Amino acid sequence: MKLLLCAVLLAAEALTWGSADSCTYTVNVPAGYSATASCSDASSACSSTTEANPVCGTTIGRLENEVNNFKKNLSALELKVKQLSMGSGPGFSTLGLLPQTAAESAREIMETTANRGSGLYWIKPPGETEAAKTYCDMEFDGGGWMLASYGYVHAAASNPSNKNIPNMNHPDGYNWHPTTRMSDHGVINLPHGAVFLARNASAMIMAAGNNPTSGGIDRYSHVYKIDISNQVYQITFANHNKLHGATNGMHIQQYQVKALKGETGEAIRFGLAEALGITWSDTYPTGYGFSDKQAVFSTWDVGPFFPSVHSGDGRGSCNTVCRAFEPDVASGDLTYNHRGWYSLHNFGKTGQTSIWFK
């Protein structure tokens, strides 16, 4: 008879028990957890029949008791795993760690759990039907910032390496890779893109410069904070270029912009409220951000402003590389940006662009 010493490891807990069988116990755990069983062979001198060997009979009887005790402990562990997966275990919460326990915002994670630090979390803002995983910055400017979109300006004007920010109302997002975003573009893969992320926010950050693969807001050379707590009109992120929303019912609103990094100062800026964006007089460029011009379309020299794929849509011809973006961009320009991205005081900037909400 062989004495099998078996151990089940679950999270940071371990159980050791003796078994007279082949140690085939299984822990059923939800996605995101794991359980493993390992056995070590400790041979005894027992014979194969208990009747012929009273010592062995005693040993087997003890092992049977231990197996029964293990089964009781296993039930308790399975209950705890279920509690953890529901975020209800004592002293622990999975808020933001699983799709089924997604948080409404990064701020909620900070306020209701021990701050786990910046990283990827599952977010489901009020109004959305499903959750998505995004990078949350829990440190910069008080923390609680959620990445909504990003793009890349390799060079001003036209360049095949440019990646204008996709439309932020794109269904189910677009090309979303928040931890591999170097030289690329994407929009959070929530069912309505970044719409509900923005609607439930009181502040917006536009961060640009450098070209990080991952990480938070401080990875960028320039950072601007915009107060969007007094939205007069509902954010839709609908196509806002001159040939669409800008001249078809969208409204200009005033915003307070503050430079947090790369530049200094505060300024009053204007943008189309429904889109949090602006558009040039010939649609090149159109994008997200603000200017000093109180008009539904104009030309400008100051921002902050990041080019988007709305540029050129509806003109009937394309300057460079154009394609359709659901739901309302029929032929948007991916690579033309006119004069790069704009800072609070200047233009002609290059590097990654990103938009965050809190």
Side-chain angles (χ1 to χ4, degrees):
M1 175 67 67
K2 292 185 177 181
L3 176 63
L4 297 177
L5 300 178
C6 304
V8 164
L9 303 177
L10 181 59
E13 299 192 43
L15 282 179
T16 302
W17 76 95
S19 173
D21 56 26
S22 60
C23 188
T24 57
Y25 300 104
T26 302
V27 178
N28 296 316
V29 297
Y33 294 89
S34 62
T36 59
S38 60
C39 302
S40 59
D41 186 353
S43 299
S44 74
C46 291
S47 65
S48 59
T49 61
T50 59
E51 292 81 2
N53 192 324
V55 175
C56 192
T58 301
T59 300
I60 292 176
R62 178 176 57 81
L63 293 180
E64 288 175 343
N65 288 334
E66 290 181 359
V67 168
N68 289 332
N69 288 334
F70 163 71
K71 290 179 178 178
K72 293 179 182 178
N73 290 331
L74 182 60
S75 296
L77 275 176
E78 289 178 329
L79 176 61
K80 184 168 184 179
V81 169
K82 183 177 180 181
Q83 289 177 330
L84 293 178
S85 69
M86 297 299 293
S88 59
F92 186 82
S93 172
T94 60
L95 184 66
L97 299 182
L98 302 169
Q100 59 267 38
T101 60
E104 291 187 351
S105 67
R107 176 180 288 180
E108 182 188 17
I109 296 172
M110 294 182 65
E111 292 177 348
T112 60
T113 68
N115 188 352
R116 305 187 192 103
S118 299
L120 291 175
Y121 293 94
W122 288 94
I123 302 296
K124 183 183 176 184
E128 272 296 7
T129 56
E130 296 180 13
K133 185 182 285 187
T134 188
Y135 193 93
C136 297
D137 190 319
M138 302 300 200
E139 301 171 11
F140 191 88
D141 192 49
W145 295 99
M146 300 169 290
L147 180 64
S149 64
Y150 53 90
Y152 177 64
V153 176
H154 181 78
S158 177
N159 188 284
S161 295
N162 290 338
K163 298 287 184 68
N164 291 337
I165 293 178
N167 51 311
M168 290 203 288
N169 65 338
H170 198 291
D172 299 312
Y174 181 86
N175 191 46
W176 186 240
H177 304 290
T179 57
T180 56
R181 56 186 190 262
M182 178 185 289
S183 304
D184 210 347
H185 63 169
V187 169
I188 188 170
N189 58 343
L190 287 164
H192 297 85
V195 172
F196 286 100
L197 206 64
R199 284 184 185 177
N200 290 282
S202 60
M204 169 184 180
I205 268 184
M206 300 178 68
N210 300 330
N211 191 18
T213 294
S214 185
I217 296 168
D218 204 40
R219 297 286 184 92
Y220 298 93
S221 62
H222 291 67
V223 181
Y224 307 95
K225 182 178 179 180
I226 301 94
D227 182 359
I228 60 171
S229 62
N230 297 311
Q231 278 292 118
V232 178
Y233 304 97
Q234 190 174 67
I235 295 169
T236 64
F237 289 132
N239 190 338
H240 62 285
N241 84 9
K242 180 190 174 183
L243 302 177
H244 293 83
T247 54
N248 191 28
M250 286 190 173
H251 305 84
I252 283 291
Q253 184 171 328
Q254 175 179 300
Y255 295 90
Q256 183 73 29
V257 181
K258 182 179 181 180
L260 301 182
K261 184 181 179 184
E263 292 182 326
T264 59
E266 297 185 42
I268 297 296
R269 293 288 188 259
F270 300 92
L272 293 163
E274 293 88 347
L276 298 178
I278 51 179
T279 181
W280 202 265
S281 55
D282 66 352
T283 78
Y284 282 106
T286 298
Y288 297 108
F290 313 89
S291 78
D292 59 343
K293 304 299 176 62
Q294 192 173 359
V296 292
F297 62 87
S298 64
T299 62
W300 61 87
D301 296 319
V302 295
F305 166 80
F306 300 159
S308 71
V309 297
H310 302 93
S311 301
D313 185 38
R315 283 169 50 97
S317 62
C318 178
N319 277 5
T320 55
V321 181
C322 295
R323 53 151 294 181
F325 291 85
E326 295 182 4
D328 57 3
V329 179
S331 182
D333 203 317
L334 279 73
T335 62
Y336 185 82
N337 58 47
H338 188 47
R339 297 195 290 184
W341 63 265
Y342 290 61
S343 69
L344 187 64
H345 305 301
N346 214 327
F347 60 88
K349 304 290 187 179
T350 60
Q352 189 178 126
T353 58
S354 66
I355 295 176
W356 308 66
F357 291 103
K358 176 180 178 178

